[in-house]
Amino acid sequence: MFEKIPVEVGLVHEGERVRKNDMQVELGGPHIAEKFEIVRVRPADQIEDGAIRITGPDISAMEEGKSYPIGIVVEIAGAKVEPDLEGVVERRIHEYSNFIEGFMHLNQRYDIWIRLSKKSYKKGLTSFRFIGEVMHELFKNELPIIEKVQITFITDPDTIRPLYAEALTTYEARDARARGLSDEEVDTFYGCALCQSFAPTHVCVITPQRYANCGAISWFDGRAAAGIDPKGPIYAIEKGTCIDAEKGEYTGVNESAKKRSMGEVSRVYLYSAFGYPHTSCGCFEGIAFYIPEVEGFGIVLRGFRDVTVNGLPFSTMADSTAGGRQIDGFHGISIEYMRSKKFMDADGGYNRVVWMPQETKERLKQYIPESVYGAIATEKDVKSIPELKAFLSAHDHPVMKRWETGPEAGQDALAGDGRHVQVFSGGDIPLTSGGFRIILKNARITAEKVIIQPIRPGGEHHGTQKP
């Protein structure tokens, strides 16, 4: 099928990482403001099957080691293809492009981050045409309802700009569909395992009020995907019995998570960042991170380029959040989940959020309760934890009630179910002592409080002065 492609194509290459030193070129990513990928359903007579178009510089014309804007437009047609499938097919771009040797695709929608390795470039992967040919073949073979596919790669900034704005409008229209539906109204949730190549134990649970962490798959998308490909990476989950309505624990979700994570994850709280939080892969749009000094949460989105109020950037906290692990206090989230009434409901919701970037706060203004909106600090208000605490006090933030109950009651040292804050977890941890080899199975190390202090080169704490 791929004899004309100069590199290998197959499942074996899913999950490959292309590090900066091994990178030929970067497309999108954190240094590029406007990038996107989108699937649009078109009438069959408007599509030339197999057509691959390139607008702007091709890969061979790009300078080694540089970052470039990228837009990917996939247009599809078929007698059974409906607009409801656009988001479903769109997410497959991530899966199929990662089959290509030395071609790393991360994230989704307006957050895409692609790298091509020097090794694959030297083998001849010098044009988007090859990428398009692989995607075309896989779309038609893996999703037979698609009868025609044409693909356009755009690297010209002036062409990308209006299409980027149009794509944002399309994403928003899709997201708005599910906002009137509640988790209690349905008997079936959906699971997504598309990112298990990067995080083998991660399973995304998609409900009407809890979007996929990547922000690309809604409950309606899940239903459509499971309908056209029941044995595919997006599948139905019977809710089963509700064990805890506040935390969002269901027997069906637990059973599915245990099966799909190979036994590593056996319980999931859908609406809490403590106890048994929903796992994360790495494609999440944002992170809710616990700030123990004020017993509240900060929120940071992937595009925020500065350090957060705890002195850490998104990239550092992403390492503690991703990987399919359940890490108390580091919670991968989507923007659409932040618009939900179930958003971290068991932890206090927005009454527990104490900091977020100004741009994010404005973006979510209509979804943040007016009573707490003004009390949430941004990077323009505070630069450190002491400043944050003073700001919260001055604005009478609801989180202060947790301070009043004493030093032990408010700390999510007890993460809602009598457990301390988990600061490390692992599968098997070997210890050697006194001639014995001791293996700790499914070890979890907890602490009453976690204090994060960034270190500068040379050993001094962030924010301190050298003697």
Side-chain angles (χ1 to χ4, degrees), residues 292-353:
E293 294 89 341
V294 297
E295 299 171 30
F297 280 90
I299 301 291
V300 60
L301 299 188
R302 186 177 297 278
F304 187 65
R305 305 300 303 150
D306 203 350
V307 295
T308 66
V309 70
N310 66 6
L312 300 175
F314 176 92
S315 58
T316 299
M317 287 190 284
D319 289 338
S320 298
T321 307
R325 297 166 294 169
Q326 291 179 294
I327 305 296
D328 282 326
F330 288 95
H331 199 39
I333 56 176
S334 66
I335 294 171
E336 192 60 26
Y337 177 43
M338 294 173 67
R339 296 181 173 123
S340 168
K341 292 181 179 179
K342 295 289 190 182
F343 173 59
M344 290 173 52
D345 197 33
D347 304 326
Y350 278 108
N351 283 341
R352 200 71 181 281
V353 175

Side-chain angles (χ1 to χ4, degrees), residues 428-440:
D428 296 350
I429 304 176
L431 303 174
T432 303
S433 178
F436 292 93
R437 180 178 174 81
I438 303 170
I439 298 177
L440 304 180

Side-chain angles (χ1 to χ4, degrees), residues 2 4-5 52 128-138 151:
F2 301 113
K4 296 182 180 180
I5 307 301
I52 298 166
F128 288 112
R129 188 163 303 280
F130 296 124
I131 310 301
E133 288 174 0
V134 171
M135 290 169 58
H136 173 266
E137 290 299 319
L138 289 172
I151 302 171

Side-chain angles (χ1 to χ4, degrees), residues 142-159:
E142 297 293 319
L143 300 171
I145 65 168
I146 298 176
E147 298 169 12
K148 289 186 175 183
V149 182
Q150 70 180 24
I151 302 171
T152 304
F153 295 91
I154 307 157
T155 59
D156 175 60
D158 292 335
T159 305

Side-chain angles (χ1 to χ4, degrees), residues 24 45 83 92-93 95 106 146 198 207 220 244 248 275 322 338 346 363 377 379:
Q24 178 67 27
D45 60 2
R92 293 294 181 98
I93 297 174
E95 180 183 17
L106 300 175
I146 298 176
F198 291 96
T207 81
F220 286 107
D244 190 318
M338 294 173 67
R363 187 174 181 178
E379 77 280 14

Side-chain angles (χ1 to χ4, degrees), residues 24-37:
Q24 178 67 27
V25 294
E26 181 174 74
L27 306 163
H31 304 295
I32 301 297
E34 295 174 332
K35 64 270 187 181
F36 71 94
E37 60 188 12

Side-chain angles (χ1 to χ4, degrees), residues 232-252:
I234 300 176
Y235 50 89
I237 299 174
E238 291 301 319
K239 267 191 349 184
T241 302
C242 180
I243 299 172
D244 190 318
E246 183 182 45
K247 294 183 176 71
E249 184 179 12
Y250 296 86
T251 56

